[in-house]
Amino acid sequence: MVDITEMTNWGVDLIDVRKTYGRSIHALRGVNIQVGRGEIFGLLGPNGAGKSTLVKIMMTVVRPTHALGTILGRPIGHHGKLARTGYLPENHRFPGYLTGNQVLHHFAALAHVPGAVRKKNAGRLLDRLGMTKWADTRVSKYSKGMLQRLGIAQALMNAPELVVLDEPTDGLDPMGRRDVRELLVELKESGTTVFLNSHLLSELEMVCDRVSILIDGLVARQGRLADLTDQTVEYRISYTGNAAAVRGKLVALGATVDEGEAILAGCEADKVNHAIDLIRAAGLMIDSVIPKRVSLEDILAEALADRSGSADAAPVARPVSP
Amino acid sequence: MQFWTLIVDSFRESLDRKIFWVLAGISVLVALAMLSVGIEEHGMSFMFGMWEVETGRYSPLSGLGRANVAGLLVYILMSFFLGWIGVILMVIATADVFPRVMEHGAVDVLISKPLSRPMLFMYKYAASMVFVLIQATLFVGLTFLVCGLRWGVWLPGYLLSIPLLVLLFSYVYCVTVLVGVKTGSTIASILISLGAWMLFTVPVTAVQTFETYPTLMKQERVYHAARVLSWIPPKTSDIQIFAAKWAGAGSAFDLFPKGAIKGADANQMGRAREMDEREMQKSPLMSIGSSVLFEAVVVLLAMVSFCRRDY
């Protein structure tokens, strides 16, 4: 018989998660977040928004004041599902007396990974993250970047169905960050659900399918990244030559004219074409026309502005199960 | 799998601590010192025969001599080196186990594994006991072997000192853990637990003082209060009594030749010896049982605090 709770398509389905420290510090005020299986999900928000608290509640490190919902189809903290979840905490510390290889074996054994599987996975992950050479070196001798790579390997030792990564690129150099991005895409392709918590918006933008913006313990925005950023906010037309003759006409169209560049707010194509015609008619050479789309940073800034405008925004509606 | 993983990890952690090797070194040094002492037909030799002492008719291999050897092991070596210095060093060595586990970044990975918090707590608690068990086995085992192989005095009952030492450590360590979990401070847990160890002995010492000096018995209510109170904390001083009894050491007074303790009032000495003998008659079940009950309550408080905490 199939257990009905296993049948949900959500990898993570959090409903009305609340956390109050003491009597008055409301870290989370009724968070609803849904993450589809096999997608890369990004959680973002300003400092103190409650992101780490939410991640810690998911991983049972912090006890919620109230929480409903499931992780991998089971209630939060279900041991069977914790064994199928990988976790990289922010600023993690591993015992300095263990070698990298021992760290991987130690934590995987605690997640009930059999010895033979541990051996195979440790070798593969150390190789994938460029750590084979350091496998038998004590962790106390590792650099921050090496510790981060080891932390990621540790989170993947149990071939998880869900992996929760808190600031995964912290301490990594640009090449390391690229490696991690590629690894995340590989995980997604293999069907693993990836839950990312990061304040590096550009990193999230490059890999996430869906995002949630958490502000003051509430979800302020949530949705597919493509939907949220599918708006052109302005066009930048670069040209060579003196635009004094057409400046007035461009300004009349609503453009801001700087030296060698006209910025046209909005996304109306006819206005852009008209501006291009004006510039060309003045005998100027157009170098480029670049549409600027909404970035995560813009969305976050907008959400923050909305939040400061209204003291208690209504929670974001729960999306339909995929 | 999880139990052995954490025990193996604790073993690795122990080997990484300098204090583990210091304690092991002390055990080896004590065993070597004992090895340098020889028992001859009419006397003893020291420093591997460099210095000989005639003992006349007294032979360490006689009945009284065996009791004296056991007394030397229990009252001086076990009680002093391992009972006092050893327990203090072991508390210092293991006091940071819980504060370290609870550090941000370290605890997160552990707790996110499919391992219940009470189990994690108990595994870590047990791991400290393993550390002490190794040290106690090394010390008692080595001294036991030297006695048997070098002197021909085999004292199997002395081996019971191993669990007794672990028990003594656990009486103090429960407080170390409670303070460590509550405050997250290693220093506080060391100082408070050693202070608590001193406090544990106060009611028992008060009762003994009343019984040694009958004139104080006029304060009958205080005496009765002390007697009741003496049952609450762990009976740390009883450990030495049981170790001596089971090793066949007899009373501590037997260690000294007759007339060696001068200046003491005969009546007072008589009462002290009588009290010592009464102490030897104590029920291990009651003493250890009530002490373990205290320890269980303190450990439970620490475990509840550990489990209910947000990290």
Side-chain angles (χ1 to χ4, degrees):
Chain A
M1 198 172 81
V2 180
D3 188 334
I4 197 161
T5 56
E6 296 271 10
M7 289 169 66
T8 172
N9 280 321
W10 296 120
V12 176
D13 183 10
L14 302 177
I15 303 164
D16 194 19
V17 179
R18 281 180 267 139
K19 177 66 187 176
T20 306
Y21 290 101
R23 286 185 181 177
S24 56
I25 302 169
H26 302 286
L28 297 172
R29 301 190 294 157
V31 170
N32 296 304
I33 281 181
Q34 284 71 37
V35 182
R37 287 189 191 243
E39 72 177 14
I40 303 181
F41 182 88
L43 182 66
L44 57 133
N47 290 339
K51 304 190 299 292
S52 290
T53 303
L54 184 68
V55 167
K56 286 182 174 188
I57 285 174
M58 285 170 64
M59 299 313 302
T60 72
V61 179
V62 165
R63 291 150 17 104
T65 306
H66 177 268
L68 295 173
T70 58
I71 288 180
L72 297 173
R74 292 284 187 168
I76 299 168
H78 183 273
H79 277 192
K81 292 304 174 187
L82 279 176
R84 304 294 303 131
T85 305
Y87 176 44
L88 170 76
E90 190 183 11
N91 300 324
H92 58 275
R93 283 189 213 175
F94 295 131
Y97 52 86
L98 295 180
T99 66
N101 202 29
Q102 285 170 340
V103 164
L104 296 187
H105 278 268
H106 174 68
F107 288 107
L110 292 178
H112 304 301
V113 180
V117 179
R118 290 204 301 266
K119 198 173 172 188
K120 195 180 95 186
N121 288 357
R124 180 177 55 81
L125 286 165
L126 286 168
D127 184 49
R128 176 66 186 79
L129 288 152
M131 292 289 293
T132 307
K133 202 169 75 175
W134 304 95
D136 297 320
T137 303
R138 280 185 172 211
V139 167
S140 55
K141 303 240 186 318
Y142 280 19
S143 68
K144 197 176 178 199
M146 288 158 74
L147 277 174
Q148 193 68 1
R149 285 166 189 266
L150 184 68
I152 293 169
Q154 175 278 132
L156 301 176
M157 273 293 285
N158 54 343
E161 287 176 50
L162 165 70
V163 60
V164 179
L165 306 172
D166 203 345
E167 304 292 357
T169 53
D170 198 20
L172 293 179
D173 58 23
M175 292 310 290
R177 288 179 180 197
R178 197 177 70 175
D179 273 356
V180 171
R181 281 200 303 271
E182 287 170 0
L183 183 64
L184 296 179
V185 173
E186 283 169 30
L187 286 169
K188 182 191 166 183
E189 283 167 357
S190 67
T192 306
T193 308
V194 181
F195 191 105
L196 287 175
N197 177 24
S198 175
H199 58 254
L200 290 178
L201 303 182
S202 56
E203 297 282 342
L204 291 177
E205 213 158 4
M206 278 189 255
V207 291
C208 287
D209 298 308
R210 293 176 67 248
V211 293
S212 242
I213 298 175
L214 207 59
I215 298 173
D216 289 344
L218 276 174
V219 176
R221 298 278 191 284
Q222 182 167 241
R224 294 192 63 77
L225 189 65
D227 296 338
L228 290 171
T229 59
D230 188 24
Q231 278 182 60
T232 304
V233 284
E234 64 183 28
Y235 284 90
R236 286 173 180 263
I237 307 167
S238 300
Y239 51 81
T240 310
N242 187 352
V246 286
R247 173 182 285 273
K249 289 176 183 173
L250 287 173
V251 171
L253 262 180
T256 309
V257 182
D258 281 335
E259 197 171 325
E261 189 177 60
I263 302 165
L264 206 62
C267 57
E268 296 160 63
D270 56 336
K271 271 191 182 177
V272 177
N273 277 301
H274 189 46
I276 290 169
D277 290 345
L278 287 171
I279 293 166
R280 285 171 60 87
L284 304 174
M285 175 74 82
I286 290 184
D287 298 324
S288 63
V289 180
I290 301 170
K292 184 178 178 285
R293 302 178 82 82
V294 172
S295 67
L296 267 182
E297 194 177 305
D298 298 325
I299 296 168
L300 178 62
E302 186 190 282
L304 278 167
D306 287 356
R307 187 86 198 114
S308 57
S310 63
D312 271 312
V316 169
R318 177 185 162 85
V320 179
S321 176
Chain B
M1 190 196 288
Q2 289 176 328
F3 177 73
W4 286 112
T5 302
L6 286 166
I7 290 296
V8 168
D9 179 56
S10 304
F11 191 67
R12 282 182 181 140
E13 192 178 7
S14 297
L15 296 183
D16 188 56
R17 291 168 191 269
K18 285 196 182 97
I19 210 155
F20 179 91
W21 298 104
V22 169
L23 281 166
I26 289 174
S27 297
V28 172
L29 279 177
V30 169
L32 276 175
M34 286 172 64
L35 203 63
S36 73
V37 177
I39 296 176
E40 319 297 338
E41 202 175 332
H42 297 294
M44 296 173 79
S45 69
F46 297 91
M47 303 289 285
F48 295 102
M50 286 170 70
W51 178 39
E52 291 188 358
V53 177
E54 286 282 329
T55 55
R57 278 186 292 172
Y58 171 76
S59 166
L61 300 176
S62 65
L64 179 63
R66 287 173 64 86
N68 283 351
V69 170
L72 170 88
L73 289 177
V74 172
Y75 292 121
I76 297 174
L77 295 183
M78 193 206 94
S79 298
F80 183 68
F81 277 110
L82 220 53
W84 276 95
I85 298 176
V87 168
I88 291 171
L89 288 178
M90 284 186 281
V91 165
I92 291 170
T94 51
D96 67 343
V97 167
F98 281 89
R100 258 163 69 158
V101 163
M102 288 159 52
E103 275 177 5
H104 287 297
V107 71
D108 307 49
V109 186
L110 270 177
I111 287 184
S112 67
K113 299 297 173 198
L115 174 67
S116 73
R117 289 189 186 193
M119 289 307 279
L120 176 63
F121 177 90
M122 288 315 293
Y123 286 161
K124 282 285 167 190
Y125 193 79
S128 296
M129 297 301 147
V130 170
F131 176 91
V132 177
L133 182 67
I134 294 169
Q135 293 296 345
T137 306
L138 193 66
F139 186 92
V140 175
L142 280 176
T143 48
F144 169 79
L145 284 175
V146 170
C147 280
L149 295 172
R150 176 89 164 112
W151 302 343
V153 179
W154 291 102
L155 300 164
Y158 173 58
L159 291 175
L160 288 171
S161 300
I162 296 172
L164 284 175
L165 277 167
V166 177
L167 204 58
L168 173 63
F169 168 78
S170 73
Y171 291 168
V172 183
Y173 189 61
C174 63
V175 181
T176 314
V177 171
L178 178 64
V179 179
V181 168
K182 285 279 183 195
T183 66
S185 162
T186 304
I187 300 287
S189 55
I190 292 171
L191 294 177
I192 294 175
S193 55
L194 293 182
W197 188 8
M198 302 296 143
L199 279 178
F200 292 163
T201 60
V202 169
V204 176
T205 311
V207 170
Q208 284 175 347
T209 310
F210 275 113
E211 289 173 354
T212 312
Y213 301 97
T215 47
L216 292 173
M217 281 294 199
K218 287 169 194 165
Q219 309 282 337
E220 212 171 312
R221 286 171 68 180
V222 181
Y223 169 70
H224 286 304
R227 270 190 76 88
V228 172
L229 274 178
S230 70
W231 278 104
I232 297 172
K235 284 76 187 165
T236 49
S237 52
D238 287 359
I239 292 291
Q240 178 186 290
I241 294 165
F242 299 137
K245 191 169 148 183
W246 293 340
S251 165
F253 286 93
D254 296 336
L255 269 186
F256 304 99
K258 275 179 185 152
I261 304 172
K262 289 177 182 159
D265 172 62
N267 284 339
Q268 223 176 72
M269 279 298 293
R271 277 199 299 273
R273 180 179 277 275
E274 192 185 302
M275 208 170 65
D276 201 43
E277 277 158 13
R278 203 178 333 133
E279 290 279 298
M280 296 291 264
Q281 303 305 317
K282 266 188 177 172
S283 155
L285 194 69
M286 286 298 285
S287 169
I288 294 174
S290 60
S291 302
V292 167
L293 186 69
F294 176 93
E295 183 183 341
V297 170
V298 175
V299 168
L300 192 69
L301 286 173
M303 187 164 76
V304 168
S305 178
F306 180 83
C307 295
R308 292 176 64 87
R309 204 182 168 104
D310 287 329
Y311 294 97

